[in-house]
Amino acid sequence: MKRFLRQVVFAAIALASSNLCASDLIPIEKLLSPPVLWSPLVSPDGKTISYVAIHMDAPNLWVAPVDDFSLAQPVTAVAGQGVTTSNVAGAVTYRWTADSRRLLYLQDENGDERWHLMSVDVASKNTRDLTPIDNVQARLVATSRQKPGQVLIELNERRPDRHDLYLVDLVDGARKLVMRNDRFVGVFADNALQARLAIGATADGGFNIFRSIQDATHGGGEVVWQMFIHLGQEDTSALIRAVEQGAWNFTADNTGFRIYDSRGRDTWAIVEIDLESGMTVVLGEDERVDIDAALYHPTSGKLQAFSANWTRRQWTLIDSSLKSDFEALAGVDAGEMTIVSRSDDANIWLIRFQPSNASAEFYVYERKALKAHHFATQIPALDGLRLPEAEPLVTRSRDGLTLVSYLVLPGNIAVDANGMPDTPLPLVVYVHGGPNDERAIYRFHPYLQWLANRGYAVLDVNYRGSLGCGKDFLNAQNLQWGNAMHLDVVDQVQWTIEQGLADPDKIGIFGGSYGGYEVLVAMTKTPDLFACGVDLAGPSEMESFIKIWWENFIPADNMAYKSIVLGNPDTEAGRAALRESSPLYFAHQAKNPILVLQGGQDSRVPTAQADMIVEEFVKAGVAVTYVLFPDEGHGVVRPGNRNLFFALVEVFFGQCLGGSYQPLAGPFDGANVRVPEGVELIQGLPEVVR
């Protein structure tokens, strides 16, 4: 009976919706065209640019001369998931060796994050698996200009929760144990590939940073470590982000290191810390927001500039010798400028200019000539499209926190003098993942443009716990998942309603990972506000999730840190907090349609998290469609699966909110999908998956 009622309710919504503005519809395959390149890097010798692009229907590494993108060639040929070249925070993880001969990258199977470290010789295209061990996770720790034929890595072969340190020869693949590790969650190596700093978790949820007090080893090959710096839980995020961004380094003489630091302050500064005395010198800071990028000299490692991002990115020069370079670059193209990569002699720069309503443009800048030439357009399929710009919005939460978000309106609507539509629009709220390693920023976001073209106002939101707005704002997430963090989203939605921007009866919500979790919270705790929601890889039951939750430097066994953020599972108060933040226990309150999407190989949010809440939605008679991608991990990567993913979401929102959509019609070549629940609720889906 409940299944019948769900079908009737969703069918009524579908009939009430309209396929608006079909003549203005940009085909989904055009708006969401994959980039022709991403994650580019300049080789140390300045002659070549590497990047990631599709080859064999999967992401692979390519190279091109710095002066001619048309001569690009793939150097890897990996099918399936392809190569892994960035982490979940979006930071680039592959790199050149110092001699410009090889590229080092990670590769896993079906997104399970059991990475192998791979090496490819750029000239011969010969590939070597440097860690040919099944069911083991490799991590790249450091390369060295002093030792270009070697690399320092971590492997968790001996015990899954800790990574031992190895030195690997890139020529013959020989692997030598450097440090047996039973206590640290991460290690820093200096310019000579010597392990100099190590990080251990503490009982207060923070980190202790240890320093090696001698280069030699003793008694069984273990390095001698000495306590150096303590970071409380409130200060750990600066360290983690610096590592994720690659925004740290050692001084040229290895006597000190530079890193983000928030001790004794709210926002992250860039500091230099002397390894002998511990003396800390602030090199760069912004009192309003955290540093979001550091520009170090490629060989000396000295800080030359940094950027900070409140509503837009702003650069601050430290090294005055770069003044003429920044002046020369200022008028090259539109959009925000990022210095992506530089050659070792600092003469060749790769620059990205990113507007919010067009493709990024990459330029090669020759410093000696003070000239830039165009290298590549990231998404050529967008050329000629007139897309709306993203506008920053600054509002306040009900308890006084300042919230930055970004609004994209459909390009074909009339607006008043304040930029607001004449009549309220259906609204889709986009919630970023993380939460504390991501944030909404001014950028070209294909999801936002796609949904705006379908007739929706799109709000890209930040909330307490989002990255970049100081540690007080970030740590305000503690014990507030599904509570105050959710209310920050609600408050921004209410603002759009009060401004006459959003139709209160047509508000949808969409997100992945933490964003998917927030979708589940929104649909279960505030079911009258949100007409429908799309959850990708969102956890639903926090008492089980806390046991497996891990991030960089936050392994699954670091319960002290996780208890501060989510709740202590060993106390009744903590268990109550975990239950209160679990959408599973509020599933019976849901009223409106929900689309749940999940990767079958997801090691961060296992399928059980989706299975549990879908079962409860079904019991409650909720119109839920559950789509499982068996060969995906924490996200949807394979091109065939991605095409189906976007087509599904478009039809789902169209049925619920009344926006434009292309009918769901196959074939979706390469898609691998199962629909355990609710296949009949999305128009065209039964024909696609049968």
Side-chain angles (χ1 to χ4, degrees):
M1 180 62 179
K2 287 182 176 179
R3 178 180 291 272
F4 173 74
L5 289 174
R6 292 191 302 130
Q7 293 179 17
V8 170
V9 168
F10 206 32
I13 294 171
L15 289 171
S17 69
S18 59
N19 197 10
L20 302 174
C21 308
S23 62
D24 298 322
L25 210 64
I26 300 173
I28 192 169
E29 59 271 16
K30 188 175 183 70
L31 259 180
L32 296 171
S33 294
V36 298
L37 79 162
W38 65 96
S39 301
L41 294 175
V42 175
S43 61
D45 63 10
K47 297 178 180 179
T48 308
I49 290 177
S50 60
Y51 62 92
V52 185
I54 298 299
H55 174 56
M56 295 180 60
D57 208 29
N60 275 280
L61 285 167
W62 295 59
V63 296
V66 293
D67 57 354
D68 196 342
F69 180 62
S70 69
L71 297 179
Q73 295 183 9
V75 294
T76 62
V78 182
Q81 287 277 325
V83 301
T84 301
T85 55
S86 60
N87 58 29
V88 293
V92 176
T93 55
Y94 83 95
R95 67 184 71 178
W96 284 91
T97 55
D99 56 11
S100 300
R101 287 186 57 188
R102 300 177 179 88
L103 289 166
L104 304 173
Y105 62 95
L106 299 173
Q107 184 180 325
D108 66 0
E109 183 70 27
N110 293 330
D112 60 10
E113 301 195 45
R114 294 183 179 93
W115 298 301
H116 291 230
L117 179 63
M118 310 295 293
S119 168
V120 58
D121 185 290
V122 171
S124 68
K125 302 183 183 179
N126 290 332
T127 299
R128 177 189 289 274
D129 186 348
L130 298 172
T131 55
I133 313 165
D134 292 335
N135 298 315
V136 170
Q137 184 188 74
R139 297 175 180 170
L140 178 58
V141 176
T143 57
S144 170
R145 290 180 176 84
Q146 299 173 20
K147 300 178 179 180
Q150 296 179 317
V151 61
L152 203 62
I153 70 166
E154 293 176 323
L155 287 175
N156 64 346
E157 180 181 16
R158 186 174 55 85
R159 53 181 288 185
D161 60 334
R162 289 293 180 268
H163 290 67
D164 296 329
L165 199 64
Y166 291 86
L167 190 67
V168 177
D169 189 287
L170 296 176
V171 177
D172 61 16
R175 189 169 63 249
K176 176 185 176 183
L177 179 66
V178 173
M179 187 182 80
R180 181 184 171 100
N181 174 32
D182 289 306
R183 60 191 293 206
F184 301 127
V185 297
V187 176
F188 293 86
D190 66 15
N191 299 304
L193 297 184
Q194 295 292 322
R196 300 294 301 278
L197 297 169
I199 303 168
T202 61
D204 66 354
F207 292 143
N208 283 333
I209 301 179
F210 297 83
R211 62 184 173 184
S212 61
I213 59 173
Q214 60 183 41
D215 291 334
T217 59
H218 76 99
E222 293 186 2
V223 175
V224 177
W225 295 98
Q226 182 183 71
M227 174 63 185
F228 186 41
I229 295 171
H230 174 67
L231 298 177
Q233 186 271 339
E234 69 277 7
D235 290 312
T236 59
S237 60
L239 170 69
I240 293 171
R241 187 57 176 169
V243 174
E244 290 173 340
Q245 282 188 347
W248 67 274
N249 63 22
F250 280 81
T251 58
D253 60 5
N254 293 325
T255 61
F257 70 105
R258 307 177 182 101
I259 203 159
Y260 295 162
D261 189 5
S262 63
R263 291 173 296 160
R265 56 191 303 119
D266 181 38
T267 60
W268 308 342
I270 302 176
V271 303
E272 182 172 308
I273 302 175
D274 185 270
L275 281 168
E276 180 65 30
S277 67
M279 184 177 71
T280 300
V281 177
V282 174
L283 304 178
E285 60 184 328
D286 187 304
E287 294 184 355
R288 187 169 55 168
V289 289
D290 299 328
I291 304 302
D292 80 331
L295 183 68
Y296 297 114
H297 188 277
T299 53
S300 73
K302 290 183 178 179
L303 181 68
Q304 295 186 291
F306 66 87
S307 68
N309 194 332
W310 175 232
T311 61
R312 297 285 300 270
R313 171 170 285 177
Q314 292 183 315
W315 283 95
T316 298
L317 282 179
I318 301 296
D319 184 346
S320 60
S321 71
L322 298 187
K323 185 172 185 290
S324 58
D325 301 299
F326 274 71
E327 289 174 349
L329 289 166
V332 169
D333 210 326
E336 293 190 347
M337 184 185 79
T338 301
I339 302 167
V340 177
S341 179
R342 296 189 292 173
S343 60
D344 274 0
D345 64 4
N347 181 50
I348 301 298
W349 299 18
L350 182 64
I351 308 294
R352 181 180 69 238
F353 290 92
Q354 180 64 79
S356 69
N357 62 341
S359 170
E361 302 290 346
F362 288 98
Y363 287 80
V364 172
Y365 172 69
E366 297 180 55
R367 190 173 185 232
K368 291 178 182 177
L370 293 178
K371 289 183 179 179
H373 71 262
H374 185 260
F375 179 70
T377 299
Q378 186 167 32
I379 311 177
L382 300 179
D383 286 353
L385 297 181
R386 298 184 61 185
L387 301 175
E389 289 194 47
E391 295 295 336
L393 297 177
V394 180
T395 60
R396 286 195 174 272
S397 68
R398 63 189 66 191
D399 58 351
L401 293 183
T402 302
L403 304 171
V404 176
S405 57
Y406 297 85
L407 177 67
V408 180
L409 295 177
N412 59 352
I413 62 165
V415 295
D416 62 22
N418 297 316
M420 292 296 171
D422 290 344
T423 58
L425 297 171
L427 173 75
V428 174
V429 182
Y430 182 76
V431 186
H432 68 73
N436 57 355
D437 57 358
E438 296 184 39
R439 63 157 288 186
I441 58 174
Y442 179 89
R443 58 182 166 168
F444 174 81
H445 196 311
Y447 293 10
L448 310 187
Q449 293 292 342
W450 159 52
L451 292 168
N453 181 255
R454 271 50 185 164
Y456 308 113
V458 191
L459 190 66
D460 190 9
V461 294
N462 286 307
Y463 42 85
R464 69 193 69 198
S466 296
L467 184 76
C469 299
K471 71 181 182 185
D472 290 346
F473 185 85
L474 187 144
N475 291 312
Q477 72 171 307
N478 294 344
L479 301 182
Q480 294 303 321
W481 285 40
N483 296 303
M485 294 169 76
H486 169 57
L487 295 179
D488 290 343
V489 176
V490 169
D491 290 347
Q492 292 175 87
V493 171
Q494 293 289 3
W495 183 89
T496 67
I497 295 172
E498 292 165 3
Q499 298 298 311
L501 190 161
D503 181 339
D505 296 323
K506 293 185 177 182
I507 296 174
I509 185 167
F510 177 27
S513 194
Y514 177 87
Y517 163 81
E518 167 57 23
V519 169
L520 297 176
V521 171
M523 299 304 296
T524 57
K525 284 195 170 184
T526 47
D528 294 319
L529 181 60
F530 294 95
C532 52
V534 176
D535 151 45
L536 171 63
S540 66
E541 200 285 309
M542 308 311 286
E543 288 180 89
S544 57
F545 177 69
I546 193 174
K547 298 174 183 177
I548 60 170
W549 178 39
W550 65 275
E551 302 289 345
N552 289 337
F553 292 139
I554 311 295
D557 65 353
N558 189 350
M559 202 56 70
Y561 175 92
K562 296 193 291 186
S563 293
I564 291 172
V565 176
L566 294 180
N568 188 343
D570 295 328
T571 68
E572 183 52 43
R575 289 189 292 272
L578 290 166
R579 289 192 294 271
E580 178 65 25
S581 63
S582 297
L584 181 72
Y585 300 119
F586 300 89
H588 63 282
Q589 297 180 173
K591 299 178 180 178
N592 295 321
I594 302 169
L595 175 58
V596 175
L597 304 123
Q598 177 71 37
Q601 304 294 322
D602 195 337
S603 62
R604 292 179 181 260
V605 181
T607 56
Q609 292 286 319
D611 294 343
M612 286 188 291
I613 198 161
V614 168
E615 181 179 353
E616 293 303 310
F617 285 148
V618 171
K619 289 179 182 177
V622 178
V624 59
T625 299
Y626 179 22
V627 178
L628 181 68
F629 296 94
D631 53 2
E632 295 285 2
H634 194 57
V636 182
V637 174
R638 297 173 184 261
N641 289 340
R642 284 178 62 81
N643 292 340
L644 178 57
F645 164 77
F646 290 123
L648 276 171
V649 173
E650 176 168 305
V651 174
F652 176 82
F653 276 138
Q655 290 180 184
C656 174
L657 301 177
S660 303
Y661 60 91
Q662 297 172 212
L664 188 61
F668 291 91
D669 293 338
N672 182 12
V673 64
R674 293 197 298 109
V675 186
E677 185 62 46
V679 66
E680 73 282 359
L681 299 180
I682 296 182
Q683 296 170 7
L685 185 55
E687 289 74 23
V688 168
V689 300
R690 66 184 175 187

